[in-house]
Amino acid sequence: MTQGPEGFPRVAPVGTDGLLVSFGDRLSETANRAALSFRAAAEAAALDGLAETSSTLASAYLRFDPDGLDHATMEAEVQALLAREDWFAAALPEGRRLWRIPTVFGTDLAPQLSEAAHAAGLTPDAAIRSISEARVRVQTIGFAPGQPYLGELDPCWNIPRQSTLTERVPIGALTVAIRQLVLFSVSTPTGWRHIGQTAFRAFRPDSDTPFVLRVGDEVVFDPVPAEAYAGLADQGPDGGATCEPLS
């Protein structure tokens, strides 16, 4: 098995029926790529007894049907799959998409752009360019239904969360901290700085696909003027966003 940073990947039991395959102890592009690729490969390989998979920023979780399978058998299957290739250099899964989401940066709709830009050592205009020119990957879904964590951004965006919570950000808020963006799928308090506002709805409970974005998808947040926001909101839950397959 190819060893990644600090002896990764590592396999650890989770409860009576799960295994956690970790490719790092912190977020990195290679660890996230490995987690997404390995999860997809585990599903495609139809491992004996595999019942469910999910992924985090740097790990893949595999849950097995414990009837007739013990941890030793589960782990042997997983170790054999890990040995097939260098997962840190593996291709990302097929079926990914590129989303372009119109975004109002700053103004009263996203009042913490200047504060976040200052923390990153940038002017507000430079901050908008940095964020909007980045093509960020959906690294994981979590915290709230369908809510994506996206990254990684340039190192200047390794800024901390706030020490106090913003009382509430609206659905569609784009926030930043620790070299990541979060696009809020629900209205909630947060310690992440609110730098952009979209009319995109990442969680659509009445839809056949309530979680719109998928891990591995890529997103570009295209700047639009504040006066365009109302028209985007009138276009429905996509909020003017477009989507195309990635090869």
Side-chain angles (χ1 to χ4, degrees), residues 14 22 36 39 46 55 86 101 114 134 198-199:
V14 179
S22 298
L36 300 187
R39 176 192 180 188
S55 59
D86 177 2
I101 302 178
S114 294
T198 78

Side-chain angles (χ1 to χ4, degrees), residues 35-230:
L36 300 187
S37 300
F38 182 78
R39 176 192 180 188
E43 292 180 344
L47 300 179
D48 288 344
L50 185 63
E52 180 184 9
T53 71
S54 62
S55 59
T56 67
L57 294 174
S59 302
Y61 169 70
L62 310 179
R63 185 177 67 82
F64 291 81
D65 181 350
D67 291 341
L69 282 177
D70 56 22
H71 264 294
T73 303
M74 297 178 209
E75 184 167 350
E77 285 198 76
V78 169
Q79 293 287 5
L81 183 58
L82 279 171
R84 281 193 196 174
E85 63 178 288
D86 177 2
W87 295 100
F88 295 94
L92 284 162
E94 295 181 355
R96 300 180 308 117
R97 302 161 298 172
L98 173 62
W99 291 85
R100 294 186 177 276
I101 302 178
T103 306
V104 177
F105 287 94
T107 76
D108 291 342
L109 291 172
Q112 293 177 293
L113 172 67
S114 294
E115 178 185 335
H118 178 75
L122 301 171
T123 65
D125 285 346
I128 293 171
R129 287 195 301 272
S130 176
I131 297 294
S132 63
E133 291 174 2
R135 191 159 132 172
V136 288
R137 180 192 305 155
V138 177
Q139 299 166 319
T140 193
I141 302 290
F143 179 74
Q147 182 160 295
Y149 287 72
L150 307 112
E152 283 185 294
L153 297 172
D154 287 341
C156 66
W157 289 107
N158 191 22
I159 63 175
R161 301 175 185 88
Q162 302 173 108
S163 57
T164 57
L165 292 178
T166 297
E167 183 175 341
R168 189 165 293 276
V169 293
I171 297 172
L174 183 66
T175 66
V176 67
I178 52 176
R179 294 187 67 183
Q180 292 175 276
L181 298 168
V182 173
L183 180 60
F184 274 76
S185 63
V186 299
S187 178
T188 181
T190 184
W192 295 58
R193 289 176 176 85
H194 184 189
I195 62 168
Q197 184 61 44
T198 78
F200 185 80
R201 300 296 180 258
F203 177 48
R204 305 176 191 178
D206 297 328
S207 169
D208 292 338
T209 53
F211 292 6
V212 182
L213 298 176
R214 302 193 294 251
V215 290
D217 283 355
E218 296 181 10
V219 182
V220 175
F221 292 96
D222 290 325
V224 296
E227 53 267 27
Y229 181 78

